[in-house]
Amino acid sequence: DSPAGSYTAELDTLGELNLEIPGFKPGDPVMTQEEYNIANQIYFQRCAGCHGVLRKGATGKPLTTDITRDLGYEHLEAFITYGSPAGMPNWGTSGEMTEEEIGIMSRYLLLEPAQPPEYGLADMRESWNLMVPPEARPTEKMNDLNIDNLFSVTLRDSGQVALINGSSYEIEKIIDTGYAVHISRMSASGRYLFTIGRDALVNMIDLWMEEPTTVAQIKLGQEARSIETSKMEGWEDKYAIAGTYWPPQYVIMDGDTLEPIKIKSTRGMIYDEQTYHPEPRVAAIVASHYRPEFIVNVKETGKILLVNYEDIENLQVTEIEAERFLHDGGFDSTKRYFLVAANARGKIAVVDTKEGKLVDLVETGGMTPHPGRGANIDHPVYGPVWATSHLGDESVVLIGTDPEGHPEHAWKVVQTLWAMGGGSLFVKTHPTSNHLYVDAPLNPDAEVSGSIAVFKIDEMDQEEPEYEVLPIVEWAGVTEGQPRVVQGEFNKAGDEIWFSVWNGKDMESAIVVVDDRTLELKSVIKDERLITPTGKFNVFNTRNDIY
Ligand code: DHE
C-alpha cells in the first residue's frame, strides 16, 4: 500500500466525503469541503507562487499527483513543517502554519489540482472602478509631501500599503489594496503609484491629491506579481501593464485610468523543446528606456517578450528565446542591459534593450539565483558589475556588465562572495554607497534570517572579502516569533537603507533604518498598523531604476 492509500483508509472512517471537490476520484484521500476550502486558500496564499496553480513547478518543485503520491503523506508533512535550506520555508517550525493545517495541506497535495476560471476583458471591465476620473484630479500637487523620498511599504497580510515619509519616518497614509501586494511601481512622472496584489487587484494611487488616494482599481485575474508603466521619452504615464500568474497572460491598460485595452495570453510552446505549456506565468516586467517597449518575462516557456506599445491594435512582440523559469531581474547601471534570473536553471539571461536581442546566458554557479532587481557596483578591479544572491546557497555572484570599457569581463561571473547562508532573496546597493547588503529571510536558522550581511565594495579587490553582520532583529527589539529580515531599500539620498522585520500576522513587526555610512542603527519604525511589512519602494529610486 502506498502511504497515500493507507492514509485514505484511515481517513475513510473519520472524514465526511464531499464529492463537490474538483478533480476528486475514487480512492483519493478524503477531505471535508471545509478542509478543502481551507487548503485551497492556503495553497493560493503560500504555495502557488513557487509551485504553480497547476502544480507544475518553477521556483519550487512540481507537486503533481504522480510525484506527491510517490513521496507520500508523511514526507509531505515533514517537508512542509521543517522546510529545506534550498528555499522551502519551514511553515511548521516558524509557527506560520498549525499542525492541523499542515495535515490538511499534505492530504490536499495528494489530490488532483483544481483549475481556476479564465479571466477576459468583460470580467476585467466589470471589476474596473474609476473612482476619480482624470478631469476631476488636481492639476498640481496639493500636498507638501516630499514625494520623491516617500516609501511605499507592502503590508502583506493586511492587504494594504503604508506610505512612509522618508525624512520623518511617519506613516503618512495606509491604503487598502489587494491581498499581499507584491510590488509597487511608479509612473514615469512620479505622480502615480501602482500596486498589484497577489490576488491580481491593481490600485492606482495619485500622490498629488491632498492625501494620496486610490483613483482607479481593477482586478485582472486570480494571481499576479508584476506591474509596470511606460517609461520611454514621449510615452511617460501613457500605459500601464500587468502580468498575471493565473490566468497566464498580460494586460495593457490606459495609464491614466487603468481601463484594460489589450490582453495577451502567454500559453504556448516551451522555447527549446517546443511542447505546449498550459500555465506559462508572467514574472518580472520592466519598461525599456531605449524603445517604446515593455520587457515581459514568461516563466515556464523561457521567453522574454519585447512588447512594443507604439501601436497597440497592431501589436508587435519580439519573442526572445532565453531560458526556462525566468523570475526577477533588473537593469545594469546604464539601463541598457536587462538581467533576469532563470532561477531554477541557475542562469542569468542578459537582454540588450537597445538592440532588442539576447546577449548572453550566464551560468552563476550557485543554486537558484534570486536578484530582486539586483545591485550595480563599480568594482575596484572589474569595473561595472551587477550582483545576485541565491535562494539555495550562500553565494553572491558579480557579473561584468560593461562590454565597451571591460570587454574581457562582460557577461562573465568575475567574483563569487560568500554570505551568511542559503535563503537569500535580495541584494541592494546605491550609486553613492560603498556597501552591498545581502539578506537571507528564508534561512531556517533564526539568527541568519534575522540578520543582514554587508560587504564593502572597496574591499572587493581581496580574494575572499569578508562581510559584517548587522543584527537587525536584535536592533528592532522584536522578541517573539521568527521574524525574517527582508529587502533593503535606500532612501533618495542613498545614505540610509531600510529593512523590513517581517513577523507573523499577529506579532510585532518593524522597519529598521541603518545609516549606510557608519553601518549603525539610525531608527526603528514600529506601529501597530505595520502588519507583516515586506517590500519597500522608494519613489525616486523605483521611478528611476536606481539599485
Ligand atoms: Fe516575490 C519581486 C514572484 C515570494 C517579495 N516576486 C517579485 C517578482 C516576481 C515575484 C515575479 C518580480 C516582479 C517585477 O519586478 O515585475 N515572489 C514571487 C513568487 O512567485 C514567489 C516565489 C512565491 C509567491 O508565492 O509569491 C515570491 N516575494 C515572495 C515572498 O515570499 C516575499 C519575500 C514576500 C511577499 O510579499 O510575498 C516576496 N517579491 C517580493 C518583493 C519583490 C518581489 C519585495 C520586489 C523586489 C524589488 O526590489 O523590486
Side-chain angles (χ1 to χ4, degrees):
D1 244 9
S2 72
S6 56
Y7 199 71
T8 310
E10 194 183 316
L11 276 167
D12 260 332
T13 54
L14 301 172
E16 165 200 327
L17 194 68
N18 190 322
L19 293 173
E20 278 176 38
I21 294 172
F24 184 87
K25 291 200 200 84
D28 279 353
V30 175
M31 300 186 90
T32 64
Q33 186 73 48
E34 195 194 340
E35 285 175 327
Y36 183 80
N37 294 345
I38 292 172
N40 237 351
Q41 196 182 357
I42 295 179
Y43 188 81
F44 161 69
Q45 289 177 356
R46 306 282 188 201
C47 322
C50 288
H51 299 283
V53 169
L54 302 179
R55 298 196 212 141
K56 289 187 180 291
T59 313
K61 297 234 156 66
L63 293 172
T64 40
T65 51
D66 52 326
I67 296 167
T68 56
R69 289 184 172 201
D70 259 2
L71 295 172
Y73 176 84
E74 274 87 13
H75 181 101
L76 294 170
E77 191 185 36
F79 215 71
I80 300 170
T81 306
Y82 299 106
S84 79
M88 169 75 179
N90 50 331
W91 297 112
T93 49
S94 67
E96 274 152 301
M97 278 191 209
T98 64
E99 235 173 85
E100 194 192 343
E101 284 171 337
I102 291 172
I104 293 175
M105 290 316 292
S106 309
R107 270 182 286 146
Y108 174 81
L109 293 177
L110 299 170
L111 294 173
E112 292 296 331
Q115 178 156 330
E118 299 298 324
Y119 222 78
L121 194 70
D123 306 294
M124 291 181 196
R125 288 196 75 93
E126 205 177 288
S127 78
W128 177 45
N129 186 359
L130 183 59
M131 292 112 154
V132 187
E135 58 277 12
R137 294 177 204 158
T139 49
E140 57 186 54
K141 186 164 153 280
M142 302 298 286
N143 57 54
D144 54 12
L145 292 173
N146 176 4
I147 290 178
D148 267 350
N149 202 26
L150 209 56
F151 285 70
S152 173
V153 178
T154 296
L155 304 178
R156 190 186 185 285
D157 292 3
S158 65
Q160 296 172 317
V161 292
L163 300 182
I164 305 186
N165 187 315
S167 310
S168 67
Y169 309 138
E170 298 286 326
I171 297 178
E172 298 287 354
K173 181 103 190 245
I174 302 266
I175 295 180
D176 289 336
T177 57
Y179 172 72
V181 158
H182 218 84
I183 58 171
S184 295
R185 293 287 187 249
M186 295 305 306
S187 69
S189 71
R191 170 175 184 169
Y192 293 111
L193 173 73
F194 295 81
T195 65
I196 186 148
R198 173 172 297 247
D199 55 2
L201 185 69
V202 174
N203 274 46
M204 176 177 177
I205 298 160
D206 185 355
L207 299 177
W208 279 13
M209 293 176 75
E210 239 161 83
E211 274 190 15
T213 305
T214 298
V215 290
Q217 225 179 20
I218 189 166
K219 187 161 159 65
L220 301 175
Q222 212 80 3
E223 264 222 71
R225 301 290 183 281
S226 51
I227 185 143
E228 183 55 294
T229 66
S230 49
K231 294 225 174 114
M232 178 69 189
E233 214 184 312
W235 296 89
E236 293 94 339
D237 295 17
K238 183 126 178 70
Y239 294 116
I241 183 173
T244 43
Y245 270 17
W246 191 272
Q249 58 199 23
Y250 58 90
V251 187
I252 300 174
M253 293 162 281
D254 183 282
D256 265 341
T257 63
L258 290 183
E259 180 173 11
I261 302 171
K262 182 93 165 187
I263 308 172
K264 287 285 287 174
S265 171
T266 51
R267 288 189 174 106
M269 297 294 167
I270 297 170
Y271 85 95
D272 52 353
E273 62 190 47
Q274 304 198 32
T275 47
Y276 181 76
H277 199 291
E279 193 191 352
R281 298 176 289 169
V282 177
I285 301 180
V286 294
S288 170
H289 297 269
Y290 283 83
R291 294 192 195 191
E293 283 177 348
F294 291 121
I295 301 158
V296 176
N297 296 275
V298 187
K299 203 182 274 270
E300 281 76 7
T301 49
K303 294 173 182 172
I304 300 172
L305 309 177
L306 307 181
V307 180
N308 187 305
Y309 48 72
E310 271 172 311
D311 181 0
I312 298 208
E313 275 175 40
N314 301 284
L315 196 72
Q316 289 199 24
V317 180
T318 306
E319 184 181 294
I320 296 177
E321 292 180 4
E323 181 52 286
R324 292 178 72 178
F325 308 120
L326 299 168
H327 188 76
D328 53 350
F331 289 107
D332 76 309
S333 57
T334 68
K335 302 182 186 130
R336 171 170 172 175
Y337 298 100
F338 172 66
L339 297 97
V340 57
N343 59 13
R345 287 288 153 95
K347 288 183 191 157
I348 301 293
V350 185
V351 173
D352 181 346
T353 65
K354 192 172 167 196
E355 298 294 329
K357 52 184 186 207
L358 187 76
V359 178
D360 221 329
L361 281 167
V362 185
E363 201 133 358
T364 68
M367 197 173 155
T368 323
H370 192 287
R373 286 167 287 172
N376 286 299
I377 294 168
D378 199 4
H379 193 283
V381 181
Y382 304 107
V385 301
W386 178 90
T388 180
S389 58
H390 292 82
L391 201 51
D393 62 37
E394 67 270 44
S395 65
V396 179
V397 300
L398 309 183
I399 295 171
T401 57
D402 182 19
E404 309 239 308
H406 299 79
E408 69 282 23
H409 304 311
W411 323 126
K412 293 191 174 70
V413 172
V414 292
Q415 190 172 26
T416 300
L417 311 171
W418 305 99
M420 297 179 296
S424 176
L425 291 178
F426 302 107
V427 287
K428 188 70 65 159
T429 189
H430 185 274
T432 65
S433 170
N434 184 37
H435 298 123
L436 172 67
Y437 297 84
V438 185
D439 69 8
L442 297 188
N443 194 289
D445 181 331
E447 213 173 300
V448 175
S449 67
S451 303
I452 290 290
V454 193
F455 292 92
K456 290 198 164 54
I457 293 171
D458 61 7
E459 288 177 6
M460 287 183 183
D461 56 351
Q462 297 169 12
E463 206 168 307
E464 273 206 19
E466 299 208 342
Y467 60 83
E468 190 171 323
V469 175
L470 308 182
I472 302 290
V473 168
E474 199 185 306
W475 284 352
V478 173
T479 49
E480 54 183 342
Q482 185 186 338
R484 301 167 192 282
V485 175
V486 70
Q487 203 240 10
E489 176 77 346
F490 271 89
N491 63 345
K492 184 189 172 199
D495 56 9
E496 64 185 36
I497 180 164
W498 295 25
F499 292 99
S500 300
V501 176
W502 169 26
N503 212 345
K505 191 177 174 185
D506 306 318
M507 297 177 197
E508 186 180 54
S509 288
I511 288 173
V512 168
V513 183
V514 175
D515 184 324
D516 173 70
R517 304 304 187 250
T518 61
L519 296 184
E520 280 167 10
L521 173 66
K522 197 160 175 186
S523 190
V524 176
I525 308 175
K526 279 190 188 172
D527 190 297
E528 60 184 23
R529 294 170 293 172
L530 274 187
I531 297 163
T532 57
T534 52
K536 300 161 297 307
F537 303 89
N538 172 273
V539 166
F540 185 82
N541 294 336
T542 305
R543 175 182 160 202
N544 294 298
D545 290 306
I546 294 173
Y547 33 80

